[in-house]
Amino acid sequence: MEGEFESLKAIHNVSPELAPLPYAWGRFKETALLSDATYFLLAQFREVGEQPPDPLKFTARLADFHKKSESPTGKFGFHVTTCHAKLPQVTDCWEDSWEVLYKKQLAQMIRLDEEKHGEWPEFQKVCKLTLEKVIPRLLGPLQSEGRTIKPCLVHGDLWDENTATDMDTGEPFVFDAGSFYGHNEYEIGNWRSARHRLSDKMYVKNYKRNFPVSEPEDEWDDRNLLYSLRYDLGTAILIPGCNQRQAVKDNMTLLCKKFCPDELRVAQGYMSLASIRDPLGDDSEEAEEEEEEEDTD
């Protein structure tokens, strides 16, 4: 409740029309044991209309909100822990590197998944490669070679049922937030799944019109797939029996095949680590010795 209160407050401070104003949060009975306590959140009432809202209005307002938001530290993170539904996110920290923060967040979801579902060796292998190889490869370039990205305040869990048209004003608004300051494109990762109506190309296309894609532009779709992992893994933990865990494994495998294919083949047992370190084998050493002899002559 505290995380949602602080999230709504931060969003409302930037764009009052985009989120209800939160008034208070707390425990119903201060004397109740923490394990038995019931909590409340009191906020401005807005009547929910069409869900999700009109794509043109909604994406324009969302992009404007992202642009206007400013991290109080100039870094990525947040001042309290916020949650994806009931799952705590790694937000109560400040990082100069978006790569570092996202790696922490995805690693947290992987740990929670293992606690919920137990070990799955094939899955753990691609999880490890995604954390150690794919994330640095895809997110490192956002803040290297002169490139920069602004830490933008994100809602953190935008999907069909957390967005709506205000019945009184006809304008789009959001609620049920788990915010932090991150890469603005992270927000769109949740729209990739076909189960969401926000996955309609009109939403994605119009958001990109209002907030230009980060450099390198040609890796936008790969980053979008990477960001979708965090949301889909959360769904797999929260909803018993859904097939998202297999989908996450498949998508991680796709990214690994593209960005660290040799390491993936080693993890899958198809080749040895030595063959990666010395792809030419022993013959290369002999060739080098022959070249040295020729140079000496």
Side-chain angles (χ1 to χ4, degrees):
M1 288 295 97
E2 180 186 20
E4 183 166 350
F5 175 85
E6 294 296 332
S7 296
L8 288 176
K9 184 170 72 172
I11 296 172
H12 186 87
N13 285 343
V14 176
S15 298
E17 70 287 345
L18 188 60
L21 174 65
Y23 299 127
W25 76 277
R27 274 193 288 171
F28 278 112
K29 293 183 179 180
E30 289 295 332
T31 57
L33 296 174
L34 287 178
S35 58
D36 299 325
T38 300
Y39 292 82
F40 71 89
L41 172 69
L42 184 64
Q44 174 191 18
F45 176 75
R46 294 193 184 179
E47 188 171 359
V48 170
E50 181 184 10
Q51 292 183 283
D54 173 79
L56 296 180
K57 281 186 177 182
F58 175 61
T59 53
R61 178 156 292 178
L62 180 64
D64 181 65
F65 156 67
H66 286 156
K67 289 177 181 177
K68 291 194 299 186
S69 64
E70 293 288 343
S71 168
T73 64
K75 299 181 180 183
F76 301 94
F78 207 55
H79 60 286
V80 298
T81 297
T82 61
C83 296
H84 175 156
K86 296 180 180 180
L87 304 177
Q89 306 179 119
V90 179
T91 55
D92 189 11
C93 60
W94 295 105
E95 299 288 352
D96 290 310
S97 167
W98 167 238
E99 173 193 332
V100 169
L101 181 60
Y102 184 71
K103 182 177 180 179
K104 287 182 177 180
Q105 292 197 350
L106 186 58
Q108 163 85 339
M109 285 297 154
I110 291 170
R111 285 193 295 271
L112 293 175
D113 174 79
E114 188 172 326
E115 290 175 9
K116 177 70 176 289
H117 296 112
E119 292 188 5
W120 181 10
E122 293 80 5
F123 184 36
Q124 299 309 122
K125 289 175 183 178
V126 290
C127 285
K128 188 173 187 293
L129 287 177
T130 300
L131 293 173
E132 296 180 357
K133 300 295 181 179
V134 177
I135 288 179
R137 168 58 187 82
L138 277 177
L139 302 189
L142 293 169
Q143 294 178 277
S144 63
E145 299 181 6
R147 304 184 191 99
T148 60
I149 54 171
K150 169 191 167 183
C152 296
L153 183 62
V154 295
H155 173 283
D157 190 19
L158 273 186
W159 65 293
D160 308 339
E161 300 300 318
N162 288 348
T163 66
T165 301
D166 189 310
M167 288 289 285
D168 293 328
T169 66
E171 296 299 320
F173 74 104
V174 301
F175 47 94
D176 198 13
S179 297
F180 61 92
Y181 292 89
H183 185 203
N184 69 293
E185 291 178 7
Y186 170 84
E187 196 92 278
I188 316 304
N190 205 19
W191 303 2
R192 190 178 185 96
S193 176
R195 70 182 182 275
H196 296 323
R197 283 167 286 165
L198 284 172
S199 68
D200 187 293
K201 64 181 180 180
M202 285 292 290
Y203 287 94
V204 177
K205 183 176 181 179
N206 281 288
Y207 177 83
K208 290 161 75 174
R209 280 180 176 174
N210 286 281
F211 201 130
V213 170
S214 299
E215 296 282 355
E217 288 186 37
D218 61 345
E219 293 182 354
W220 184 92
D221 190 66
D222 295 317
R223 293 193 298 267
N224 185 251
L225 180 57
L226 177 64
Y227 294 153
S228 75
L229 302 176
R230 196 1 230 99
Y231 293 105
D232 288 345
L233 195 52
T235 301
I237 298 168
L238 291 165
I239 303 177
C242 76
N243 63 355
Q244 287 305 307
R245 200 176 188 224
Q246 181 64 52
V248 170
K249 177 183 177 293
D250 292 343
N251 286 332
M252 283 185 174
T253 302
L254 283 175
L255 289 170
C256 291
K257 282 181 178 178
K258 184 169 184 179
F259 295 108
C260 53
D262 290 341
E263 289 85 349
L264 177 63
R265 289 177 64 81
V266 170
Q268 293 174 331
Y270 293 123
M271 61 189 295
S272 68
L273 187 60
S275 64
I276 293 179
R277 292 173 176 166
D278 186 14
L280 299 179
D282 295 335
D283 292 342
S284 63
E285 293 181 4
E286 294 176 3
E288 287 178 3
E289 291 175 1
E290 289 176 1
E291 287 180 5
E292 289 176 3
E293 291 177 1
E294 291 175 1
D295 290 341
T296 303
D297 295 339

